[in-house]
Amino acid sequence: MLNRKADITPIGESQIQIYIDDEPVNVVEGETVLSAIHAVQKNQIMQNDYKANLGAYCGMGICHSCLVNIDGKYKQRSCKTLIRDGMRVTTMSNRFNDMGIKDNQPLVTSADFEEKVASSDQPESEDSNVN
Amino acid sequence: MSTKNQQVIIVGGGAAGISAAAQLAEFGISSKIIDEATKLGGVVYRGPLRHTEELPHLDEFYQKSQKSLQDKYHNNKDKIDVQLETSVIGPDGANGLILSDQKSLSSLNYDYLILSTGCHERSVPFPGWTLPGVMMMGGVQLQIKSGLVRPGEKMALCGTGPLLPLIACQLHKAGVEVEGVYEASSFTRLAKEAVALLNKPMLTLNGLSMMSYLKRNNVPFHYGWGIVKAEGKEAVEEITVAPYDKEWKADLSKARTAKLDSIGIGYGFVARTQITQLLNLEHEYSYQSSYVPRLSGNQRSSKDNVYVAGDTSGILGSDGAAFEGQIAALDIALRMGAIDAATHASRTNKARKGLQRVRNFRFGFDRFSERQLGMLDLPDDDTVICRCENVKKSQIDAAFERGVKDITSLKMATRAGLGDCQGKICSAYCYDRFKQAGHAERMGQLRARFPVEPISFAMMED
């Protein structure tokens, strides 16, 4: 259990828990994932595609510097996501690094892509973000 | 045409949006507010997101203003439809919007639209500014006000303007050790604005009492000082600060360091114009607020049925935003035939007078804390300017040397602005570089892209 050390006022009786990097944390309704992360005094939140460590910066959904993996979905803004009971939050998790893609190597070649399209009748996975 | 069923949509439920909706409601007009957050109030007056028995770090003045805005909504609830946790991600046809609630997309048509999307903070790159623990000041404030958590245990604030003493007090009351507050402008510049500050005596008094709170609690407040760099292995551990001259160039010979675990940086705000851009409204460059929609009287934009109110139309703060929202609403009420011309004129004049008082006060502070371009010297060659795409200052310099004179070419040459944030963070620095190089007239605006917010493929299936 990670201790909440940065609360300004007591959270009261906590009925729900989330997991931050596999460790349980008591949380209460209404909180954002970011405030739960800050409550346990973590500030290294995200590793970007260039392997830079980032933390919360704007705190209001603008900067995309607090992206975490939530229940398997990459690139979720922790500052804009409310906690849900049992949620699993992974910080410093980056799809490129997790999948073992080496530096300076193209992610997908056009041949890979055509092959994938030809062999797949499944819709795109849910966690792919477009922007 | 009957105006009975005409739909008024308000994007952004902060001071401007709520005031507009309440004003419409007074004349019997229903409206709908769309807001991305879980509570109304905007970033200033959203308040705590979780239950708490007390708010020891927020002063009475703030709590009163917050309540009065919430009351504006509650007293007119039956005429105000609210859709929370919903973002507008772009336009849909001539008079429609596409909405995202993170699960699905929907569209919404309007007859009249009020855009009160507020602002976000201006980023000032310096060595170490991307380290975890370095936050924008408003982000720090949101953590203590809405999140009720301390983002650090020992902090400093570097920036300019009235938010500095306010947030310093709030942090101190929240139990943070405040190492120091560094205001870039000199005290002489503030003293020159004494007359302007008397336009809002209560606010000025409030500011003075904050300064005396800081003094009583031994929080040093340094006028004419600012950030130089932040350092640390994995997160910020130490900052360097130095006196700033009147161009805000740091005097490194007098620099000193401080150990801490977090820092708030706040050198101003820029209008949040992603939606106003995608609606193809005309914009104009503003040194203070980056680009702002061009407005005619009564907050009307270049599109006849689209209004812009609050900080989206130029930074004026929440008091000004409330008057602007009211003025937009009065104009819509007149056009819908809910009020006559005389009522419209007298009510609008009253709101304009209020707005003018806010402006007189605000402009005093704006002159005091007008950003100086000396800060552009802070980043070194390896400092990342665009954090999404890892574009370094040396790459921006190289593009300028090759003769780039507009922001679109800069984006193509360096990838700055092409990442997830769509350039909201790096564009302020880039605009200032163009301004410094004498290209402000031709640099153009970094265009917002659809969708303004990321959406998943799954959401597009229907």
Side-chain angles (χ1 to χ4, degrees):
Chain A
M1 173 78 66
L2 290 171
N3 275 335
R4 296 183 62 122
K5 292 180 183 161
D7 287 317
I8 295 169
T9 62
I11 58 164
E13 194 74 16
S14 163
Q15 304 291 336
I16 45 180
Q17 282 183 347
I18 63 169
Y19 296 85
I20 299 179
D21 300 325
D22 292 327
E23 295 212 61
V25 178
N26 285 330
V27 292
V28 286
E29 204 185 324
E31 283 195 276
T32 63
V33 172
L34 178 61
S35 52
I37 291 173
H38 278 157
V40 300
Q41 295 187 319
K42 277 184 193 257
N43 70 359
Q44 296 176 51
I45 297 179
M46 156 186 188
Q47 188 168 57
N48 76 3
D49 297 347
Y50 301 90
K51 299 216 160 102
N53 292 358
L54 301 174
Y57 178 59
C58 78
M60 56 179 275
I62 299 286
C63 70
H64 296 251
S65 293
C66 66
L67 305 182
V68 292
N69 184 310
I70 296 178
D71 294 333
K73 283 172 107 175
Y74 286 95
K75 291 181 90 168
Q76 305 298 305
R77 280 171 286 181
S78 60
C79 66
K80 287 200 71 173
T81 311
L82 293 191
I83 54 91
R84 283 186 312 272
D85 196 11
M87 187 180 239
R88 300 197 84 92
V89 176
T90 312
T91 63
M92 309 300 279
S93 149
N94 180 298
R95 188 200 307 265
F96 291 179
N97 304 336
D98 291 356
M99 289 179 174
I101 292 155
K102 298 214 171 62
D103 292 339
N104 303 320
Q105 212 173 294
L107 250 190
V108 186
T109 64
S110 55
D112 290 340
F113 184 70
E114 276 157 31
E115 191 187 326
K116 202 172 177 186
V117 170
S119 68
S120 164
D121 49 8
Q122 297 292 313
E124 282 285 347
S125 72
E126 271 197 24
D127 61 355
S128 314
N129 272 323
V130 287
N131 188 356
Chain B
M1 191 173 77
S2 158
T3 58
K4 273 248 169 323
N5 298 316
Q6 286 196 330
Q7 177 79 279
V8 184
I9 303 294
I10 299 167
V11 182
I18 294 177
S19 302
Q23 181 63 83
L24 289 165
E26 187 192 327
F27 304 126
I29 302 169
S30 299
S31 63
K32 180 172 189 161
I33 299 180
I34 311 287
D35 196 281
E36 61 184 354
T38 49
K39 275 177 90 175
L40 284 179
V43 288
V44 180
Y45 291 122
R46 196 169 293 150
L49 294 181
R50 67 159 166 87
H51 174 76
T52 181
E53 296 292 334
E54 43 168 9
L55 292 166
H57 54 308
L58 303 181
D59 61 272
E60 219 175 285
F61 189 76
Y62 169 80
Q63 297 194 39
K64 251 166 77 183
S65 312
Q66 186 200 16
K67 187 168 182 309
S68 102
L69 190 67
Q70 305 282 1
D71 285 348
K72 264 192 198 175
Y73 162 67
H74 283 290
N75 297 338
N76 297 288
K77 233 170 153 169
D78 53 326
K79 293 271 175 210
I80 308 175
D81 184 14
V82 177
Q83 189 172 338
L84 295 170
E85 293 182 76
T86 303
S87 305
V88 174
I89 58 165
D92 185 20
N95 290 304
L97 300 171
I98 302 181
L99 312 180
S100 156
D101 64 1
Q102 295 300 311
K103 284 172 224 82
S104 59
L105 302 178
S106 58
S107 70
L108 182 66
N109 287 321
Y110 56 85
D111 295 289
Y112 294 101
L113 178 64
I114 300 177
L115 296 169
S116 43
T117 50
C119 62
H120 61 81
E121 282 176 277
R122 170 179 293 281
S123 281
V124 171
F126 53 85
W129 73 296
T130 59
L131 281 171
V134 178
M135 292 180 74
M136 288 202 271
M137 219 158 64
V140 168
Q141 202 190 21
L142 269 176
Q143 283 307 293
I144 58 175
K145 249 167 37 175
S146 291
L148 301 177
V149 290
R150 293 181 294 272
E153 294 302 321
K154 185 174 180 187
M155 299 183 67
L157 295 175
C158 295
T160 187
L163 272 181
L164 275 175
L166 174 66
I167 299 178
C169 289
Q170 291 172 343
L171 283 173
H172 186 270
K173 289 177 188 166
V176 176
E177 183 188 342
V178 184
E179 188 278 331
V181 188
Y182 301 89
E183 160 63 64
S185 284
S186 66
F187 186 75
T188 338
R189 256 173 83 180
L190 180 63
K192 278 186 198 153
E193 303 302 340
V195 175
L197 300 185
L198 289 176
N199 277 288
K200 286 273 175 186
M202 275 314 289
L203 282 179
T204 306
L205 271 177
N206 202 29
L208 289 174
S209 79
M210 288 188 284
M211 294 306 289
S212 82
Y213 175 90
L214 294 177
K215 198 159 197 176
R216 280 200 313 276
N217 289 284
N218 300 317
V219 176
F221 194 101
H222 309 270
Y223 285 97
W225 278 68
I227 187 73
V228 173
K229 62 181 172 184
E231 290 169 291
K233 221 168 139 244
E234 258 137 12
V236 62
E237 292 164 22
E238 183 177 284
I239 56 162
T240 303
V241 288
Y244 277 17
D245 68 10
K246 60 180 197 296
E247 269 89 47
W248 289 13
K249 272 194 206 304
D251 178 358
L252 298 180
S253 70
K254 293 187 181 122
R256 55 177 191 77
T257 59
K259 299 253 184 237
L260 37 67
D261 59 8
S262 180
I263 173 173
I265 304 285
Y267 289 98
F269 298 87
V270 298
R272 210 171 157 183
T273 56
Q274 282 67 41
I275 308 295
T276 58
Q277 284 190 51
L278 287 178
L279 286 172
N280 272 325
L281 306 184
E282 286 171 24
H283 288 72
E284 58 196 2
Y285 174 62
S286 146
Y287 180 64
Q288 188 204 16
S289 314
S290 276
Y291 278 83
V292 291
R294 186 171 290 144
L295 301 184
S296 57
N298 299 335
Q299 307 300 128
R300 219 185 282 190
S301 76
S302 58
K303 251 179 138 181
D304 194 46
N305 60 342
V306 179
Y307 293 75
V308 183
D311 286 341
T312 323
S313 66
I315 310 305
L316 210 52
S318 56
D319 289 348
F323 287 120
E324 290 181 358
Q326 212 186 341
I327 291 169
L330 286 162
D331 201 54
I332 293 172
L334 177 70
R335 291 170 76 183
M336 288 175 71
I339 52 173
D340 58 29
T343 311
H344 174 261
S346 74
R347 297 292 296 268
T348 302
N349 278 339
K350 207 173 150 216
R352 276 190 201 292
K353 276 193 188 134
L355 185 59
Q356 196 52 48
R357 267 197 313 278
V358 175
R359 282 202 177 123
N360 293 343
F361 171 81
R362 183 80 204 188
F363 289 174
F365 250 118
D366 290 347
R367 280 189 297 268
F368 161 64
S369 54
E370 188 183 56
R371 162 179 102 262
Q372 304 296 315
L373 296 181
M375 295 190 88
L376 290 173
D377 293 348
L378 289 177
D380 55 35
D381 282 354
D382 283 333
T383 304
V384 167
I385 301 298
C386 166
R387 26 167 91 207
C388 301
E389 294 295 310
N390 211 45
V391 181
K392 296 183 171 161
K393 181 188 170 261
S394 54
Q395 292 165 272
I396 306 274
D397 288 346
F400 271 82
E401 272 156 34
R402 287 205 304 275
V404 164
K405 293 184 179 63
D406 68 276
I407 194 122
T408 305
S409 303
L410 183 68
K411 178 172 78 176
M412 291 193 290
T414 64
R415 296 192 61 81
L418 268 178
D420 283 340
C421 92
Q422 300 202 2
K424 292 189 208 78
I425 302 302
C426 64
S427 59
Y429 170 86
C430 296
Y431 290 142
D432 276 357
R433 287 290 304 269
F434 284 118
K435 164 107 183 153
Q436 188 185 43
H439 306 316
E441 297 295 314
R442 59 193 295 184
M443 67 188 175
Q445 188 174 14
L446 186 68
R447 298 299 298 189
R449 304 187 291 275
F450 177 86
V452 171
E453 297 274 307
I455 53 175
S456 67
F457 282 118
M459 283 163 67
M460 294 191 289
E461 275 175 4
D462 308 323

